[in-house]
Amino acid sequence: MTDRKLHLNVNLLHSGVYASAWRLPDSNPGAFFDVGHYVQVAQIAERGKLDAIFLADTPAVTDRIDLRPFLSMEPTIVLASVAAATTHIGLIATASTTYNEPYNIARRFATLDHASGGRVGWNAVTTADAAASRNFGLPGVLEHKARYDRAKEFAEVVHALWDSWEDDAFVGDKATARFVDTTKVHPIAHRGTYYTVEGPLNVPRSPQGRPVTVQAGGSSDGRDLAAAQAEAVFTLAQTIEEGVAYARDLRTRAVAYGRPANAIVILPGLATVIGSTEAEAKRRQDELWDLVPIEYSLARLANTLQIAPEKLELDKPLPDPLPLPANANHTMFQGTVNLARRGNLTVRQLLKALGGGVGHRIIVGTPEAIADDIEAWFKAGAADGFNLMPDVLPTGLEVFVDEVVPLLQRRGLFRTDYEGKTLRNHFALERPPSRFSKPKPEAVPA
């Protein structure tokens, strides 16, 4: 047994992490715009006592929509429906700091935290897609460092707005006609490089004090943002050594910001393909891989590397050198290149290792093998848990919940029931006080 407990989220990627998941006989091709599908997956995750579901977002058409499902509906609206159909599962939604304003995001997530009883997390990301830029009237992508500088200030403003109501500001006293104690509602008067926001927020302080702030960047700028602002981080690591190095670096940066080293829950992505035997799992992987159109995989890889697809030859290694793109997703680029170079893989082999374009680590095996792998990473300090990406949804998650979770529970690694109702409870995070609250005077001994 151990006092430290594993954390498990589900990255709810429509039909599943494989681009071919929608083509299986029991899959729903329209799942990506079916709210009932998201509710069903969330209910399965809640049955397994998982920490949260996570919805990614891209505010543009950036994928090969002629070949596979894609990120479509606005996450917070989907999660409002999920909240009404669940009681405990955490609800994490992506909202970009590049194409939003702090006040709108603070208000939206505070509202959702009230609606869900305190189960919400905000995945604060920067957006580097040229298509998204054009949708918001910009001629091109913002420079990488500028995106992260803007994101850091954005998060600071959002947190200040969430703090702008003290916990006991709402009074609602009918007898005295005192509705709100306005001495406990504070303008934030923010004047910064990118934002000028007066405040206060027009939503009382939410059940968690603040929704949990999540971040998903692995570049130096992304790690710095996470160290300063994040309480949970979705990251990419292909080996235990990479995971340990990332955790050590991030915790060192957090301490430099005056935060405790354990203030951030680190959750690498983990795609799973599960079978009752090793051979069955590999057959399932081969079936999924065979159904992925090769032109999709090549286009996805070329986009990650920011090169023309014609430069990728299937039976040769990646081109060398491959310069780090100035304004692309550095995390996915570096993880992909490291995987290829480490195994001296051809492009074809790399595409299969990536699941046709996934990018995160894929483990293929029996429930026992999956549980062994998760335990090894957890005990090595390479992860506090995982952002799970089942091969196919909902079936891949059902197998994980029914076959892997009980093994983790028997090993004393994972909860057997929820100990609270908020996402902060699940992640073992403290409820932060409002920055405007005055410390209570210490009691004087009698």
Side-chain angles (χ1 to χ4, degrees), residues 4 14 47 62 86 94 109 138 268-269 313 362:
R4 180 169 167 253
H14 30 77
R47 176 163 61 80
T62 61
T86 55
T94 294
F109 279 82
L138 300 175
E313 298 185 55
I362 302 173

Side-chain angles (χ1 to χ4, degrees), residues 14-46:
H14 30 77
S15 298
V17 71
Y18 271 81
S20 55
W22 68 278
R23 299 183 65 188
L24 295 192
D26 55 354
S27 290
N28 171 17
F32 76 106
F33 64 100
D34 180 357
V35 172
H37 171 73
Y38 293 87
V39 169
Q40 180 188 13
V41 174
Q43 289 173 335
I44 294 167
E46 188 167 78

